Structure formats: C-alpha cells, structure tokens
Amino acid sequence: MSHDRRVGRVRQLSRYPVKSMLGEDLDQAYVDEAGVDGDRAFAVLDCVTGKVASAKNPRLWRDMLTVPVPVPVLQRARR
C-alpha cells in the first residue's frame, strides 16, 4: 500500500523555537509525530509566578511577539 498520495501544498514553513516569540521561515524541516523539529523547544519562565510566559496573556506579555529569538537559541534548535 503506497502512502505517496498528495494531500496538499506547503506555501510557507515556519518554526517558533521559543514559545510566543518571533519565529523563522525554513526551506525544509524534519517533521515527526511531535511536530516540526525545534518548534517551541524553549520557553520564557516568569520567575515570580513560576508560569511559562505566553502572548495569550497580553496584559503581562504583550511585546513577546515582537521579540526576535536570539541567534544561539536558533542554532541550538537547528541541531
């Protein structure tokens, strides 16, 4: 039984190494059952509350989606 049936087209491939921060566009990626390799591999921890920072809470983290991910994090996500 062949699984090579075409089901769609990828127009853009992006990865977000740090949850709720800006991502990067990719030409290719390794994908398995867990998703795109390196996607959301890291998060920002609020040391006061002990919770993961999220852009879903705009009162506290409204600017997170405007912050680029530091290059060393991108390099680690690419391994």
Side-chain angles (χ1 to χ4, degrees), residues 25 33 36 42 50 55 66 69:
D25 291 335
E33 303 83 28
V36 175
F42 303 94
T66 66
V69 176

Side-chain angles (χ1 to χ4, degrees), residues 53-74:
S54 173
K56 291 179 182 174
N57 189 343
R59 185 177 59 80
L60 296 175
W61 304 103
R62 78 177 115 260
D63 295 328
M64 279 195 69
L65 289 173
T66 66
V67 178
V69 176
V71 171
V73 172
L74 291 175

Side-chain angles (χ1 to χ4, degrees), residues 36-47:
V36 175
D37 188 42
D39 190 51
R40 292 169 183 85
F42 303 94
V44 175
L45 181 65
D46 183 329
C47 294

Side-chain angles (χ1 to χ4, degrees), residues 19-50:
K19 181 181 178 355
S20 294
M21 291 178 76
L22 291 178
E24 62 178 337
D25 291 335
L26 303 173
D27 293 326
Q28 61 185 10
Y30 176 77
V31 180
D32 63 14
E33 303 83 28
V36 175
D37 188 42
D39 190 51
R40 292 169 183 85
F42 303 94
V44 175
L45 181 65
D46 183 329
C47 294
V48 174
T49 65

